[in-house]
Amino acid sequence: MTDGIEAVLFDIDGTLLVTGGAGAVAWQRAFREMHGIEANIDEHTQAGMTDPEIAAIVFREVIGREGTPAERAEAIAGYLSQLQRAVEESQGYRVMPGIEQLLPRLAESGVLLGIVTGNIEAAAQIKLARGDLNRYFTFGGYGSDSSQRTELTRKAIDRGGEVRGKALDPATTIAVGDTPRDVVAGHGAGIKVVGVATGNYSVDELEEAEADWAIADVRSGFPA
């Protein structure tokens, strides 16, 4: 264990890695194939949204109506069917600075590592696999658990307790994310949050969002 931290929950996009736009490409291909429309995901969504939120927003703002639960589920399935190829083809995929050094260090020191992400679980595994990062994570909370980030963060904490064999202590569990949504979700679930300015938000913006630590990247200032 490092500095009293027993578990660290990592966001994926903008925190562990960037896919170089592969997610947006997969959504665009899915909606073009299923509904014959061009859906520019970046125009209608913000970083930190969950996959179920994205599907609902595209129906509302691009198609112009509320999609039924079955239609939204079908859209997510279509996205997932396109994602593997989009990630493999992406020339902009990269693991964020310091991550490939931090994860083994934490794992070797006995810190439990989990995922907390708006991605549905299958999408999360596809994104992690290209960077060979999924081997570090034994549990997580995903967009397939809830469309609300606070709830999926709670789910991750519960699952971490199952892996540990006892409930995780919120005082020794932290989350790491690159958006104010990550900060709000972690605090809503009762844990502290490291804000990393490796996505679309600066250190100052993450401090304004009341991240407990706001750092440029995990190479310096990481609390564990």
Side-chain angles (χ1 to χ4, degrees), residues 125-148:
Q125 296 303 327
I126 289 171
K127 292 180 178 183
L128 291 169
R130 177 171 167 179
D132 197 25
L133 300 182
N134 45 1
R135 60 196 169 113
Y136 294 108
F137 301 101
T138 54
F139 68 97
Y142 305 92
S144 40
D145 294 313
S146 174
S147 63
Q148 303 302 313

Side-chain angles (χ1 to χ4, degrees), residues 15 42 50 75 163 181 184 202:
T15 299
D42 292 337
T50 64
V163 171
R181 288 172 182 264
V184 171
S202 67

Side-chain angles (χ1 to χ4, degrees), residues 183-212:
V183 178
V184 171
H187 289 169
I191 61 176
K192 292 183 177 181
V193 182
V194 181
V196 288
T198 47
N200 295 328
Y201 295 88
S202 67
V203 169
D204 287 345
E205 288 171 318
L206 293 168
E207 287 178 344
E208 290 174 10
E210 300 185 350
D212 300 280

Side-chain angles (χ1 to χ4, degrees), residues 158-174:
D158 289 344
R159 288 184 176 141
E162 293 171 3
V163 171
R164 177 72 81 187
K166 63 175 183 177
L168 294 183
D169 182 353
T172 57
T173 301
I174 63 174

Side-chain angles (χ1 to χ4, degrees), residues 28-29 31-32 35-41 43-44 58 62:
Q28 288 169 339
R29 288 174 177 171
F31 274 95
R32 184 187 306 126
H35 297 280
I37 63 165
E38 294 296 327
N40 187 328
I41 300 303
E43 288 184 359
H44 298 277
V58 173
V62 180

Side-chain angles (χ1 to χ4, degrees), residues 84-157:
Q84 181 78 50
R85 182 163 64 95
V87 169
E88 290 174 352
E89 293 173 347
S90 175
Q91 296 184 8
Y93 182 102
R94 62 188 173 89
V95 176
M96 304 311 271
I99 291 297
E100 290 171 306
Q101 293 74 41
L102 177 65
L103 296 182
R105 177 175 70 77
L106 292 175
E108 289 166 8
S109 65
V111 176
L112 195 63
L113 301 180
I115 291 294
V116 58
T117 177
N119 289 280
I120 59 174
E121 185 171 2
Q125 296 303 327
I126 289 171
K127 292 180 178 183
L128 291 169
R130 177 171 167 179
D132 197 25
L133 300 182
N134 45 1
R135 60 196 169 113
Y136 294 108
F137 301 101
T138 54
F139 68 97
Y142 305 92
S144 40
D145 294 313
S146 174
S147 63
Q148 303 302 313
R149 290 195 73 99
T150 298
E151 289 304 314
L152 64 87
T153 303
R154 291 192 181 111
K155 178 63 73 172
I157 294 169

